[in-house]
Amino acid sequence: MSLLHVRCTAVQQSAPPLWRSVPPPESQPLPSGRCQPRPSSSHGLRVPCTSLPVTLLRSRRLSSCLCLPLPPAAGWSLPPCRFYPPGRALSTRPGSVCFCRDPRVRTMELEELGIREECGVFGCIASGAWPTQLDVPHVITLGLVGLQHRGQESAGIVTSDGSDVSTYKAHKGMGLVNHVFSEECLKKLNMSNLGIGHTRYSTSGNSALENCQPFVVETLHGKIAVAHNGELVNAARLRKKLMRHGIGLSTSSDSELIIQLLAFTPPMEEDHSADWVARIKNLMNETPTSYSLLIMHNDVIYAVRDPYGNRPLCIGRLIPVSNEERAKNPLETEGWVVSSESCSFLSIGAEYYREVLPGEIVKISRDGVQTLDIVPRYRERDPSAFCIFEYVYFARPDSIFEGQMVYSVRRRCGQQLAIEAPVEADLVSTVPESATPAALGYAEKCGIQYVEVLCKNRYVGRTFIQPNMRLRQLGVAKKFGVLSDNFVGKRIVLIDDSIVRGNTISPIIKLLKDSGAKEVHIRVASPPIRHPCYMGINIPTKEELIANRPEFNDLAGYIGKNIYIEYSANSVVYLSVEGLTSAVREGIKHFKDQQNGFNGTNAYPTSHGHCTACLTGEYPVELEW
């Protein structure tokens, strides 16, 4: 039986779902175009526009879906769609199975797909005389392992000897960092003095080896390598602009647009010398956000952060491992590292130096760190727009942003949540482990003891869809053990960092009540997510977010009651947007004259800004479609 090819265009988010009724499969695909409301045919297939793949819907790009008709006897015994949880299949008929053609989306899982960070970047350069004794490839690998939570799809490293005619060595692969880089691979990258690395989860571009970073390209003045964290808000326009200039593109990643813009020679540049600062500033003028970049050329690494500072980037100093050597010369520096998060510094023997400021272009060489320029925002009165969910969800708790540790911010979020949503209970606990700081803050503020009620099996991995209902229902039980002696007959306040779709928390409530909990009150240490992100975070479609569904009005009754579970939460309360922003900004330190010889008094505005677009729908820049 032939496949049915349906092509739909995403509609505006404010519009109601539109449906197209498709006749039985024919050999020719249907013409593309905007869906029109039509009555459903008893022989056709109804496809909602709102069920387009996540990354395509939020970009309002065309999407294609393949729908395979099945014998009626098959019913729903097979998964209705590989990429959506039960009840969110593209097909509304039991006799069809829909397969999205977008390869970026992973195999569907029982647990909540939720929101995901996109990338991590890491660079290293040796100080002093070259060739260096510093093992640059191993330093970068360990740095990427520390950033593994930011992307598990692919990893890559490019190293160089730093000579005028640089020899670039690269290795990339799909999978986790430790799987991609064996000792044999790292030996091939050796004899290098500097390098950059990247770990990826795709938000723009297919999940394929060709999109693995860092990208390397030959320019008029030698090779450059680029690693990018973020997502360009005007990628479609830039892609057209480059193609109009005759520049071909070999990948679907927006990061390739960056490297091609850098390779493009500015009109005022002399042929005999490259003005890389001018090229970087030209790139930053072309696209306002969102990016943190590492650019390697000859013997230098340029660290660049977009003018809004949406994605993080910080610098570390490699110090001698021996205490005796550090005591003899406290200022001795073996090298410099730059990373998406400072959490990767400790494992490589580096100390936190400072952040790269919003709009800053930093030159990192064997001689040290130097600020070359700071590019202002399009509208100079605009505040910075650092992603607030780095604090809530993405970053490791031991990372430092804006002069404060993420752990401390999450603890303050818990304290603020206790002020906004107190409840009579016997104990406070958490779903291990990201919400633990918030739970400790909540317990401290309320004066209720913190007790663990769940222990996590660290070796199960993610809970994929199982072939029958019984195994699906046991998914959470495989991931968590229940410490029932701690809570039998007691009222529990369970703290979670976020509830996106509501699929994950439901079986946990059942698990606790089945094990003897008298009451389970859910408190969420972040506001409800209501809007998609267009700046590098893979957030589900607006229609899939629980905060936009009718059930949100009675969330306590909805969470825990679905096709499998008959237990509901006793109450559910989120932290307010105002509560989150106050908890974040309470500990921010202002940076002025930093140790790079640059007077940066205007680098940080007096009032810090944060991007809360996924919570409020107020985006820091105008979006282009």
Side-chain angles (χ1 to χ4, degrees):
M1 188 176 293
S2 62
L3 294 177
L4 177 62
H5 183 185
V6 181
R7 188 178 287 265
C8 302
T9 311
V11 297
Q12 295 293 329
Q13 293 173 347
S14 58
L18 300 178
W19 302 81
R20 160 177 277 175
S21 180
V22 180
E26 301 292 341
S27 58
Q28 297 297 324
L30 291 169
S32 63
R34 187 170 296 279
C35 298
Q36 300 296 329
R38 300 181 183 177
S40 174
S41 166
S42 59
H43 301 290
L45 178 68
R46 300 171 69 232
V47 182
C49 291
T50 53
S51 294
L52 293 174
V54 171
T55 52
L56 294 179
L57 177 63
R58 58 191 180 85
S59 301
R60 288 173 172 77
R61 303 167 190 161
L62 278 176
S63 170
S64 298
C65 299
L66 290 176
C67 299
L68 175 63
L70 295 176
W76 289 105
S77 60
L78 294 176
C81 179
R82 292 189 299 171
F83 306 126
Y84 290 93
R88 292 296 299 165
L90 297 181
S91 168
T92 61
R93 291 186 62 207
S96 298
V97 173
C98 178
F99 295 92
C100 168
R101 296 177 67 191
D102 183 1
R104 281 170 282 180
V105 190
R106 291 290 174 275
T107 304
M108 179 182 61
E109 301 166 359
L110 172 62
E111 74 173 10
E112 187 170 12
L113 296 179
I115 50 182
R116 296 177 185 238
E117 179 57 278
E118 73 298 339
C119 299
V121 297
F122 191 92
C124 175
I125 185 167
S127 297
W130 289 357
T132 181
Q133 298 299 311
L134 185 67
D135 192 341
V136 172
H138 274 86
V139 169
I140 298 174
T141 302
L142 288 174
L144 291 178
V145 169
L147 300 176
Q148 189 73 86
H149 59 284
R150 299 184 72 88
Q152 303 87 43
E153 179 178 283
S154 64
I157 293 176
V158 176
T159 61
S160 169
D161 57 6
S163 61
D164 291 338
V165 184
S166 301
T167 301
Y168 280 27
K169 301 174 183 177
H171 182 74
K172 307 177 188 179
M174 304 297 292
L176 301 179
V177 175
N178 285 332
H179 296 161
V180 173
F181 298 104
S182 63
E183 284 296 325
E184 188 173 340
C185 293
L186 293 176
K187 286 179 182 178
K188 296 177 182 178
L189 299 174
N190 225 330
M191 301 301 292
S192 54
N193 298 311
L194 70 163
I196 60 176
H198 187 272
T199 182
R200 180 174 190 259
Y201 174 77
S202 60
T203 56
S204 176
N206 296 338
S207 172
L209 187 60
E210 66 185 22
N211 289 320
C212 293
Q213 297 185 45
F215 289 135
V216 178
V217 68
E218 187 80 45
T219 73
L220 186 63
H221 303 283
K223 290 182 178 179
I224 60 170
V226 175
H228 168 219
N229 172 24
E231 184 175 3
L232 304 184
V233 294
N234 58 344
R237 179 174 62 82
L238 291 178
R239 184 174 292 273
K240 290 180 182 178
K241 181 175 182 177
L242 287 170
M243 289 181 173
R244 278 198 300 267
H245 282 81
I247 298 175
L249 301 171
S250 59
T251 75
S252 58
S253 171
D254 62 344
S255 304
E256 187 186 10
L257 305 177
I258 292 173
I259 200 167
Q260 293 294 354
L261 286 168
L262 290 170
F264 186 75
T265 304
M268 303 301 292
E269 184 179 289
E270 299 289 339
D271 287 344
H272 57 82
S273 64
D275 187 347
W276 288 105
V277 175
R279 292 188 181 207
I280 294 170
K281 289 174 71 175
N282 177 64
L283 163 68
M284 298 174 80
N285 290 328
E286 287 282 356
T287 182
T289 191
S290 160
Y291 49 88
S292 285
L293 302 174
L294 297 184
I295 304 164
M296 185 171 69
H297 177 258
N298 288 348
D299 59 347
V300 171
I301 295 175
Y302 298 96
V304 181
R305 200 168 169 206
D306 74 63
Y308 288 86
N310 187 252
R311 303 261 68 85
L313 197 62
C314 61
I315 300 169
R317 185 171 70 96
L318 285 169
I319 57 178
V321 176
S322 168
N323 291 332
E324 294 180 2
E325 292 181 20
R326 287 204 301 271
K328 289 179 183 178
N329 188 1
L331 299 180
E332 182 180 353
T333 301
E334 295 186 347
W336 295 93
V337 290
V338 57
S339 174
S340 294
E341 291 184 39
S342 60
C343 62
S344 60
F345 290 164
L346 185 62
S347 63
I348 58 172
E351 64 177 14
Y352 179 83
Y353 183 64
R354 71 172 182 89
E355 276 191 329
V356 177
L357 305 180
E360 188 179 13
I361 304 172
V362 179
K363 175 184 176 181
I364 307 175
S365 67
R366 70 174 90 179
D367 301 319
V369 176
Q370 178 188 2
T371 294
L372 300 179
D373 205 346
I374 292 183
V375 177
R377 290 181 272 280
Y378 279 16
R379 298 182 295 266
E380 292 190 9
R381 293 184 178 180
D382 283 357
S384 57
F386 180 56
C387 175
I388 205 163
F389 253 77
E390 291 281 357
Y391 285 112
V392 172
Y393 187 84
F394 303 126
R396 246 175 56 175
D398 54 335
S399 289
I400 298 173
F401 298 140
E402 300 175 309
Q404 57 184 341
M405 190 166 283
V406 171
Y407 180 94
S408 300
V409 175
R410 292 177 181 171
R411 189 161 187 144
R412 287 199 298 270
C413 287
Q415 293 171 344
Q416 181 63 31
L417 184 60
I419 295 172
E420 295 181 8
V423 63
E424 291 187 7
D426 302 306
L427 60 92
V428 176
S429 194
T430 182
V431 180
E433 296 164 330
S434 56
T436 300
L440 290 169
Y442 189 99
E444 178 185 5
K445 195 70 175 179
C446 286
I448 304 174
Q449 64 174 338
Y450 172 83
V451 178
E452 292 184 351
V453 298
L454 298 169
C455 61
K456 191 172 184 179
N457 183 353
R458 303 176 188 275
Y459 304 100
V460 166
R462 308 203 74 174
T463 312
F464 289 90
I465 283 289
Q466 300 295 335
N468 60 61
M469 185 182 298
R470 183 176 184 275
L471 293 180
R472 284 200 293 268
Q473 289 177 292
L474 292 174
V476 169
K478 291 194 303 181
K479 291 189 67 175
F480 296 107
V482 180
L483 306 175
S484 55
D485 285 353
N486 291 347
F487 63 84
V488 170
K490 295 182 179 180
R491 301 165 296 176
I492 301 173
V493 181
L494 194 68
I495 310 295
D496 205 352
D497 52 14
S498 62
I499 297 178
V500 183
R501 287 193 180 96
N503 299 338
T504 304
I505 197 70
S506 298
I508 291 175
I509 296 170
K510 178 183 186 298
L511 200 62
L512 294 174
K513 289 198 169 183
D514 279 346
S515 301
K518 183 179 180 181
E519 296 177 4
V520 178
H521 300 270
I522 304 298
R523 294 295 180 267
V524 187
S526 64
I529 301 173
R530 299 180 182 275
H531 305 272
C533 176
Y534 302 91
M535 289 167 285
I537 305 302
N538 199 350
I539 291 181
T541 63
K542 190 172 182 180
E543 291 75 15
E544 289 178 296
L545 298 170
I546 186 65
N548 295 326
R549 297 173 65 178
E551 296 90 340
F552 191 72
N553 296 325
D554 181 25
L555 193 56
Y558 172 74
I559 290 181
K561 287 185 178 180
N562 59 31
I563 190 170
Y564 305 125
I565 300 168
E566 298 177 355
Y567 294 82
S568 61
N570 293 90
S571 66
V572 180
V573 183
Y574 285 79
L575 181 65
S576 67
V577 176
E578 296 76 18
L580 172 61
T581 54
S582 66
V584 168
R585 293 174 186 175
E586 180 182 332
I588 290 178
K589 296 181 177 67
H590 293 272
F591 299 88
K592 290 189 177 180
D593 298 323
Q594 303 211 39
Q595 300 174 22
N596 59 355
F598 180 81
N599 186 354
T601 53
N602 295 322
Y604 267 75
T606 54
S607 59
H608 285 260
H610 293 89
C611 180
T612 58
C614 59
L615 312 175
T616 63
E618 298 175 2
Y619 296 92
V621 296
E622 185 177 347
L623 303 175
E624 298 183 17
W625 308 119

